[in-house]
Amino acid sequence: MPRVRITRRLHFCAAHRLAREDWSEEENRRVFGDCANPNWHGHNYDLEVTVAGPVDPETGYVMDLGALKALVNRLVVDELDHSNLNLDVPWLDGIIPSTENLAVAIWERIVGHIPGPAALDKVVLWETPRQWAEYRGE
Amino acid sequence: MPRVRITRRLHFCAAHRLAREDWSEEENRRVFGDCANPNWHGHNYDLEVTVAGPVDPETGYVMDLGALKALVNRLVVDELDHSNLNLDVPWLDGIIPSTENLAVAIWERIVGHIPGPAALDKVVLWETPRQWAEYRGE
Amino acid sequence: MPRVRITRRLHFCAAHRLAREDWSEEENRRVFGDCANPNWHGHNYDLEVTVAGPVDPETGYVMDLGALKALVNRLVVDELDHSNLNLDVPWLDGIIPSTENLAVAIWERIVGHIPGPAALDKVVLWETPRQWAEYRGE
Amino acid sequence: MPRVRITRRLHFCAAHRLAREDWSEEENRRVFGDCANPNWHGHNYDLEVTVAGPVDPETGYVMDLGALKALVNRLVVDELDHSNLNLDVPWLDGIIPSTENLAVAIWERIVGHIPGPAALDKVVLWETPRQWAEYRGE
Amino acid sequence: MPRVRITRRLHFCAAHRLAREDWSEEENRRVFGDCANPNWHGHNYDLEVTVAGPVDPETGYVMDLGALKALVNRLVVDELDHSNLNLDVPWLDGIIPSTENLAVAIWERIVGHIPGPAALDKVVLWETPRQWAEYRGE
Amino acid sequence: MPRVRITRRLHFCAAHRLAREDWSEEENRRVFGDCANPNWHGHNYDLEVTVAGPVDPETGYVMDLGALKALVNRLVVDELDHSNLNLDVPWLDGIIPSTENLAVAIWERIVGHIPGPAALDKVVLWETPRQWAEYRGE
């Protein structure tokens, strides 16, 4: 049976800032630049979730993309959309919401919910159309 | 002399919320929905600035697009990028930062600075790739 | 009060063919080319709906874009998505589903439902990223 | 000699439905949802074909991208564009035209035609800008 | 009969430079910046051609978009693609190939060839995804 | 510590031609087609640079994307933008500027400058939105 990767793209809008509470504003500004603005800034995030697995010969599906969309909406997008990533999301508590950390946290949030034999392959999070992070669970 | 419109696209990231201080949280939530989140949310804004005018027969330019880019960066993008549109920008003070109001405020900020005989024609502000506002000074 | 245009982009997938029942297959193939395939073909349509009006000083809105999205989803997208435009849609009955005719039909379907003082300004329908039709009610 | 991947993107428009002939309409609708519409629906498909190999020191090419484009147009795009993927394409006969199955079938159709030492590396098929399938011959 | 605008997008790649032969290199560099590089630079141009007119009730067409594509390919794209806009194109002779001048020249090249009652409405030429010029024959 | 890939997209405009000086114009035209035009042509190139490494637990960064942007701008974009890739760039001397060769040369130019423990993972160079080359240092 051929092994195929399928991807669903979703999006959400959120505010965040990059800063450590144990650092001074000057230290945060020096390391994180404008991203440390204490009054926050925000992004339109694009999120790509890729699942890999054998193609079911009965349906032609690796996994129902509608079910994948519903799963990621419920676990991730509904919780992050129109939120403040530093303040509003329990499962991001204590994490600096860099694109890297967010991609890893989203992977951890989804990975146990993909029905086998398919498995989560990759999470890509776009902070802007010009920069993004990719995590493969490695 | 032919009359041509030239456009420059720029972008900035910012946090905002839609809410009136003279309304209760419930009232704000009822009218503005998730956009009223007191902890803010944010966007990658795309901004298109269009200038119209005759083509200078000596240069082939309506206006130097590099000068237009520098002008809009100085007057608008440098002030809005990585900011909180409700808190950080004096010339947005007292304005609900809806896409409509932002487009009008950006027009007002630029309109007096376009060197004649060219003139500002249009400001388009994209809050997301799926929704935007256009203002022509009418 | 400034007058602003706001736009919401939506999308739907559908099958169609371009052909007249009162013409022979040869005649349809001669005029409409591959678009006359009797077994249908299809597209991912993108739909942009623009509403123009004064900005409400209380809300900063020309019209609530969430309400516009809900309205166009209910009247247009829910009826056209995953449909056959020649067979499945009563309000397209008897219309050759060219991009031009679809744009006009969508305008007629929406135009009476925009709450004043805002008004429908423009419908743009993209058949592919390389060709589209725009109707302004003229 | 460095090993490089080159990709060419092409596109086609087609109708399809997801359904098994040995299932009832109710069963097809339950599993495939709106995609089972008996009157078909359709998509603008984007197809990316990636070839990997050493760079020829004489030409700087892994493979002539114009030749790759012509090859994929002849073997795939000319046969699928403006077609019904369930009815019109002999080499898709008996296959449920899910994005996964189409990606595999396109791989099989091309893989023997890439001139060595280059080799087919990856086929990505986009059903919409929000969902796609990738096959690497595994 | 409703009046609709239809647009076809095409593209071409070309080299050019912005400079006046009657100016010194220093003067050209001062006015046109990097665009004056004597060794040329180049762009992937996107060209949008819009035609406006009544919808033919028999075909649902303002104009056959395939015919429009063929027309613009023959008159414009085939002549500009993979060319040097300063050296290779007789109908651009003596014109500084700014985006503005190119948009006007392309309009002049096409305007007499659109079959009535449709008429050329607009030419938009994108030099990059961030800057473009629009000409409406005014 | 999770291992993440981060990518920054940049762009530049340049002229080039594909041709060997030791071949006749006929031979170059036969092998490279329109790309051999002696008067040059050009492109808007998009460049993606991917860096892989562990996420620094103190900052949440694999590498500061602002620093990556500045590095690639200094080493690559500032040298290639508005240039002639055959004539103006010492580190491309003697290389046929095919997309493949350019991707490899850009990799070589950057690879020694990424601060450990992060490392260069991938360079993708887009000649047009429809064709690109990817190099992973293999």
Side-chain angles (χ1 to χ4, degrees):
Chain A
M1 272 184 303
R3 179 180 162 80
V4 171
R5 285 169 174 81
I6 55 168
T7 303
R8 176 73 207 188
R9 179 176 266 236
L10 302 103
H11 61 121
F12 59 91
C13 306
H16 79 153
R17 72 179 291 228
L18 302 185
R20 295 186 62 88
E21 291 186 21
D22 55 341
W23 285 1
S24 67
E25 278 309 304
E26 292 68 30
E27 183 68 359
N28 278 317
R29 182 67 73 166
R30 193 185 58 76
V31 171
F32 295 111
D34 290 344
C35 298
N37 179 4
N39 283 338
W40 321 96
H41 67 285
H43 298 289
N44 302 332
Y45 289 93
D46 274 310
L47 171 63
E48 293 175 14
V49 177
T50 300
V51 167
V55 180
D56 182 327
E58 194 166 51
T59 59
Y61 281 178
V62 166
M63 176 186 171
D64 180 341
L65 275 165
L68 179 61
K69 176 187 172 186
L71 179 78
V72 181
N73 270 332
R74 179 169 58 83
L75 292 174
V76 179
V77 172
D78 291 350
E79 305 226 342
L80 304 187
D81 194 33
H82 285 78
S83 81
N84 182 309
L85 301 176
N86 300 65
L87 302 179
D88 291 338
V89 187
W91 50 277
L92 295 179
D93 213 39
I95 295 175
I96 298 173
S98 67
T99 321
E100 292 93 325
N101 279 345
L102 292 171
V104 173
I106 291 169
W107 169 285
E108 297 299 344
R109 181 111 178 124
I110 300 171
V111 67
H113 295 265
I114 307 297
L120 188 58
D121 181 66
K122 193 168 63 171
V123 165
V124 184
L125 185 68
W126 302 64
E127 194 177 79
T128 74
R130 299 194 162 270
Q131 52 195 49
W132 60 95
E134 174 187 318
Y135 184 54
R136 303 185 190 170
E138 293 166 349
Chain B
M1 273 184 302
R3 178 179 164 81
V4 171
R5 286 168 174 82
I6 56 168
T7 303
R8 176 74 206 188
R9 179 177 266 236
L10 302 102
H11 60 121
F12 59 90
C13 306
H16 79 153
R17 72 179 290 229
L18 302 186
R20 295 186 62 88
E21 292 187 20
D22 54 342
W23 286 0
S24 67
E25 279 308 304
E26 291 68 30
E27 182 70 359
N28 279 316
R29 182 68 71 166
R30 192 183 60 74
V31 171
F32 295 111
D34 290 344
C35 298
N37 179 5
N39 284 338
W40 321 97
H41 66 285
H43 297 290
N44 302 332
Y45 289 92
D46 273 310
L47 171 62
E48 294 175 11
V49 177
T50 299
V51 167
V55 180
D56 182 326
E58 195 166 50
T59 60
Y61 280 179
V62 167
M63 176 187 171
D64 181 340
L65 274 165
L68 179 60
K69 176 187 172 185
L71 179 78
V72 181
N73 270 332
R74 180 169 58 83
L75 291 174
V76 178
V77 172
D78 292 350
E79 306 225 342
L80 303 187
D81 194 33
H82 284 80
S83 81
N84 182 309
L85 301 175
N86 299 65
L87 302 179
D88 292 337
V89 187
W91 49 278
L92 294 179
D93 214 37
I95 294 175
I96 297 173
S98 66
T99 322
E100 292 92 325
N101 278 344
L102 292 170
V104 173
I106 291 170
W107 170 283
E108 298 298 345
R109 182 110 177 123
I110 299 170
V111 67
H113 295 265
I114 306 298
L120 188 57
D121 181 66
K122 192 169 64 172
V123 165
V124 185
L125 185 67
W126 302 64
E127 195 178 79
T128 75
R130 299 194 162 271
Q131 51 195 48
W132 60 95
E134 176 186 317
Y135 184 56
R136 303 184 189 169
E138 292 166 351
Chain C
M1 272 183 304
R3 178 180 164 80
V4 172
R5 285 169 175 81
I6 55 168
T7 303
R8 174 73 205 189
R9 178 178 269 236
L10 302 103
H11 61 120
F12 59 90
C13 306
H16 80 153
R17 72 181 291 231
L18 303 185
R20 295 186 62 88
E21 291 186 21
D22 55 340
W23 285 1
S24 66
E25 279 309 303
E26 292 68 30
E27 184 67 2
N28 279 316
R29 183 68 73 166
R30 193 183 60 76
V31 171
F32 295 111
D34 289 344
C35 298
N37 180 6
N39 284 337
W40 321 97
H41 65 286
H43 297 290
N44 302 331
Y45 288 92
D46 274 310
L47 171 64
E48 295 175 14
V49 177
T50 300
V51 166
V55 180
D56 181 328
E58 195 166 51
T59 59
Y61 281 178
V62 167
M63 176 186 171
D64 182 339
L65 273 165
L68 178 60
K69 177 188 171 185
L71 178 78
V72 181
N73 270 332
R74 179 169 59 81
L75 292 174
V76 178
V77 172
D78 292 349
E79 305 226 342
L80 303 188
D81 194 32
H82 284 78
S83 81
N84 182 310
L85 302 174
N86 300 65
L87 302 179
D88 292 338
V89 187
W91 49 278
L92 294 178
D93 213 40
I95 294 176
I96 297 173
S98 66
T99 321
E100 292 92 324
N101 278 345
L102 292 170
V104 173
I106 292 168
W107 170 285
E108 298 298 344
R109 182 112 178 123
I110 299 171
V111 67
H113 296 264
I114 306 299
L120 188 58
D121 181 65
K122 192 167 66 171
V123 165
V124 184
L125 184 68
W126 303 63
E127 193 178 81
T128 75
R130 298 195 162 271
Q131 53 195 48
W132 60 94
E134 174 186 319
Y135 184 56
R136 303 185 188 169
E138 292 166 351
Chain D
M1 272 183 303
R3 177 180 164 82
V4 172
R5 285 169 175 81
I6 56 169
T7 302
R8 175 74 206 188
R9 179 177 266 237
L10 302 102
H11 60 122
F12 58 90
C13 307
H16 80 152
R17 71 179 291 228
L18 302 186
R20 295 186 63 87
E21 291 187 22
D22 54 342
W23 285 0
S24 67
E25 278 309 304
E26 291 67 31
E27 183 69 2
N28 278 317
R29 182 68 71 167
R30 193 185 59 76
V31 171
F32 296 111
D34 290 344
C35 298
N37 179 6
N39 283 337
W40 320 98
H41 66 285
H43 297 290
N44 302 332
Y45 288 92
D46 272 311
L47 171 64
E48 294 176 13
V49 177
T50 299
V51 167
V55 179
D56 182 326
E58 195 165 50
T59 59
Y61 281 178
V62 166
M63 177 187 170
D64 180 341
L65 273 165
L68 179 60
K69 176 188 172 186
L71 179 78
V72 181
N73 269 333
R74 180 168 58 83
L75 291 174
V76 179
V77 172
D78 292 350
E79 305 225 343
L80 303 188
D81 194 33
H82 285 78
S83 82
N84 182 309
L85 301 175
N86 300 66
L87 301 180
D88 291 338
V89 187
W91 49 277
L92 294 179
D93 213 40
I95 295 174
I96 297 173
S98 67
T99 321
E100 293 93 325
N101 278 345
L102 291 171
V104 174
I106 291 169
W107 169 284
E108 298 298 345
R109 181 112 177 123
I110 299 171
V111 67
H113 295 267
I114 306 297
L120 189 58
D121 181 66
K122 192 169 63 171
V123 164
V124 184
L125 185 67
W126 302 63
E127 194 178 81
T128 75
R130 299 196 162 269
Q131 52 195 46
W132 59 95
E134 175 186 316
Y135 184 56
R136 303 184 188 170
E138 293 165 350
Chain E
M1 272 183 303
R3 177 181 163 80
V4 172
R5 286 169 174 80
I6 56 168
T7 302
R8 174 75 207 188
R9 180 177 265 235
L10 303 103
H11 62 120
F12 59 89
C13 307
H16 79 154
R17 71 179 292 228
L18 302 185
R20 295 186 62 88
E21 290 187 23
D22 54 340
W23 286 0
S24 67
E25 279 309 303
E26 291 68 30
E27 183 69 0
N28 278 316
R29 182 68 73 168
R30 194 183 59 75
V31 172
F32 295 110
D34 290 343
C35 298
N37 179 6
N39 284 336
W40 321 97
H41 66 286
H43 297 290
N44 302 332
Y45 289 92
D46 273 311
L47 171 64
E48 294 175 13
V49 177
T50 299
V51 166
V55 180
D56 182 327
E58 193 165 52
T59 59
Y61 280 178
V62 167
M63 177 187 170
D64 180 340
L65 273 165
L68 179 60
K69 176 188 173 187
L71 179 78
V72 181
N73 269 333
R74 179 168 58 84
L75 292 174
V76 178
V77 172
D78 292 350
E79 305 224 343
L80 303 187
D81 194 33
H82 284 78
S83 80
N84 182 309
L85 301 174
N86 300 65
L87 302 180
D88 292 338
V89 187
W91 50 277
L92 295 178
D93 213 40
I95 295 174
I96 297 173
S98 67
T99 321
E100 291 93 324
N101 278 344
L102 291 171
V104 173
I106 291 169
W107 169 285
E108 298 298 344
R109 182 110 177 126
I110 299 170
V111 67
H113 295 265
I114 306 298
L120 189 59
D121 181 66
K122 191 168 65 170
V123 164
V124 184
L125 185 68
W126 302 64
E127 194 178 79
T128 75
R130 298 195 163 271
Q131 52 195 47
W132 60 94
E134 174 186 317
Y135 184 55
R136 304 185 188 169
E138 293 164 351
Chain F
M1 269 182 306
R3 178 180 163 81
V4 171
R5 285 169 175 82
I6 55 168
T7 303
R8 175 73 205 187
R9 180 177 266 236
L10 302 104
H11 61 121
F12 59 90
C13 307
H16 80 153
R17 71 180 291 227
L18 302 186
R20 294 186 63 87
E21 291 187 20
D22 54 342
W23 285 359
S24 67
E25 278 309 303
E26 291 69 30
E27 184 68 1
N28 279 316
R29 183 67 73 165
R30 192 183 60 76
V31 171
F32 295 111
D34 289 345
C35 299
N37 179 6
N39 284 337
W40 322 96
H41 66 285
H43 298 290
N44 302 332
Y45 288 93
D46 274 309
L47 171 64
E48 294 175 13
V49 178
T50 300
V51 167
V55 179
D56 182 326
E58 194 166 51
T59 58
Y61 280 178
V62 167
M63 176 186 171
D64 181 339
L65 274 165
L68 179 60
K69 176 187 172 185
L71 179 77
V72 181
N73 269 333
R74 180 170 57 83
L75 292 174
V76 178
V77 172
D78 291 351
E79 305 225 343
L80 303 188
D81 194 32
H82 284 79
S83 81
N84 182 309
L85 301 174
N86 300 66
L87 301 179
D88 292 338
V89 187
W91 49 277
L92 295 178
D93 213 39
I95 294 175
I96 297 172
S98 66
T99 321
E100 292 93 324
N101 278 345
L102 291 170
V104 173
I106 291 169
W107 170 284
E108 298 298 344
R109 183 113 178 124
I110 300 171
V111 67
H113 296 266
I114 306 298
L120 188 59
D121 180 67
K122 192 167 66 170
V123 165
V124 184
L125 185 67
W126 302 63
E127 194 178 80
T128 75
R130 299 195 162 270
Q131 53 194 46
W132 60 93
E134 175 186 316
Y135 184 56
R136 303 185 188 169
E138 294 166 350

